[in-house]
Amino acid sequence: MFKKLFKSVVAICCLVLSACATGPVDEYREAKGQDSRVKYIILHYTWESLMDSIKILTEQEVSAHYLITDEEPARVIQLVDENRRAWHAGKSQWGTDTNLNAQSIGIEIVNLGPKQSGKKVPSDINQWQAYTSSQIERLIVLLKDIQQRHQIQGKNILAHSDIAPQRKLDPGPAFPWQWLAQEGLGRWYDEHQVASLTRKYKKEGLPSTLSLQKALKTLGYDIELTGDWTSKSQQVLRAFQMHYRPVKFDGRMDAQTAAILMNLRAMEASEN
């Protein structure tokens, strides 16, 4: 009886080994010459309640890699494996990269955005729902983990509105970009230099429209270099203001916006 059992076990082991030997891969060795396909992290608000957000992101065509809830404390829910492409960015561009779904990780945060619905975008930051400290604290931990694993540059942590300014507003002007930048997650301007530049521009006038458009393009924004503030250019400028000067985001160039923009452009040039 024991001999028959032993022979059966040996036969099974032989079959398993045989199957392994004829599989698609015989051996795995990790090559040094490689890096992550992920270049960007894109932040969104859901514009829906938690339950509706989960339903939409799991049952409809739109998706994201992660969802941060509005519970207290906030939770992080993974919806798509990072090795797979989530459908969160849509038609998008940053620099020369287009359709960023293939190169990015999308993070949705449960937030209703504008407190009042309607076609007109609220111009006062207080008319937008604030993010909770718990949400941002969980987001910071998640971002640092993703950034470290994929070696993502801080300046490539972006808003959906940055990469699709003609279509999107999220995560909106209430999102605390400066808080993230203080944690090394994103870029921010030098406040002293911006204050000095603002005084200069108020006294001497703004740089030319074309030079300001070129500065936006240098940072990565998809903008036509027309030399005029067309409606599309103003949409891009509004996205920039929501990110870096959210107290006023009317899409109109002024001394402070110009100062922030030119300071960031100088920082970008010094890094390259």
Side-chain angles (χ1 to χ4, degrees):
M1 178 70 180
F2 177 77
K3 288 182 178 180
K4 289 182 178 179
L5 180 61
F6 178 77
K7 288 181 179 179
S8 298
V9 171
V10 170
I12 292 171
C13 290
C14 289
L15 286 172
V16 171
L17 290 172
S18 176
C20 291
T22 58
V25 176
D26 294 311
E27 183 178 352
Y28 175 78
R29 296 193 183 193
E30 187 166 353
K32 180 179 180 181
Q34 62 174 297
D35 59 13
S36 173
R37 296 176 184 269
V38 178
K39 187 176 178 181
Y40 302 98
I41 303 174
I42 310 301
L43 304 183
H44 310 254
Y45 60 46
T46 61
W47 214 355
E48 302 287 349
S49 67
L50 174 57
M51 294 307 298
D52 285 342
S53 297
I54 292 174
K55 185 176 180 65
I56 291 169
L57 291 169
T58 58
E59 298 180 13
Q60 296 186 18
E61 294 299 305
V62 65
S63 61
H65 293 90
Y66 296 98
L67 173 69
I68 298 180
T69 74
D70 61 349
E71 300 162 310
E72 194 61 43
R75 293 185 302 125
V76 177
I77 302 172
Q78 185 166 8
L79 305 172
V80 177
D81 189 281
E82 288 183 11
N83 291 323
R84 296 183 65 80
R85 178 170 53 191
W87 298 349
H88 62 96
K91 184 179 180 181
S92 51
Q93 181 168 344
W94 192 250
T96 58
D97 293 330
T98 58
N99 298 320
L100 298 187
N101 279 337
Q103 302 177 67
S104 66
I105 288 176
I107 301 176
E108 293 272 2
I109 307 169
V110 177
N111 179 284
L112 297 179
K115 293 180 180 179
Q116 297 179 349
S117 60
K119 293 184 178 180
K120 188 175 180 180
V121 178
S123 59
D124 185 349
I125 191 173
N126 296 314
Q127 295 176 303
W128 297 69
Q129 183 178 6
Y131 294 83
T132 69
S133 295
S134 181
Q135 285 180 314
I136 303 305
E137 287 165 359
R138 290 305 306 270
L139 174 63
I140 287 171
V141 173
L142 177 61
L143 285 174
K144 287 184 176 180
D145 177 60
I146 296 170
Q147 184 183 46
Q148 189 276 328
R149 285 186 289 103
H150 293 279
Q151 295 297 295
I152 297 171
Q153 296 183 64
K155 65 182 181 180
N156 285 344
I157 299 173
L158 301 167
H160 198 187
S161 54
D162 289 328
I163 64 171
Q166 307 305 325
R167 301 186 300 112
K168 297 297 181 179
L169 298 170
D170 54 317
F175 186 80
W177 288 104
Q178 187 174 7
W179 184 356
L180 263 62
Q182 289 169 347
E183 293 287 337
L185 301 165
R187 61 179 159 195
W188 203 250
Y189 54 88
D190 184 303
E191 294 186 5
H192 295 293
Q193 292 182 19
V194 165
S196 177
L197 270 179
T198 301
R199 290 192 295 269
K200 176 183 176 181
Y201 292 155
K202 285 182 177 180
K203 182 179 179 180
E204 302 177 7
L206 302 180
S208 70
T209 298
L210 185 59
S211 66
L212 292 166
Q213 289 176 332
K214 286 181 178 179
L216 285 164
K217 197 169 190 68
T218 297
L219 293 183
Y221 288 92
D222 179 22
I223 185 169
E224 295 180 354
L225 304 180
T226 61
D228 297 306
W229 289 114
T230 63
S231 59
K232 287 186 175 181
S233 291
Q234 289 179 334
Q235 294 285 82
V236 174
L237 186 58
R238 181 179 67 178
F240 175 83
Q241 290 171 328
M242 284 196 295
H243 193 137
Y244 295 104
R245 209 278 304 272
V247 293
K248 188 177 182 182
F249 50 97
D250 57 2
R252 297 179 181 275
M253 183 57 71
D254 54 43
Q256 188 183 39
T257 300
I260 293 170
L261 174 56
M262 299 309 274
N263 179 245
L264 288 170
R265 188 202 65 171
M267 293 170 63
E268 177 75 14
S270 66
E271 293 173 2
N272 295 330

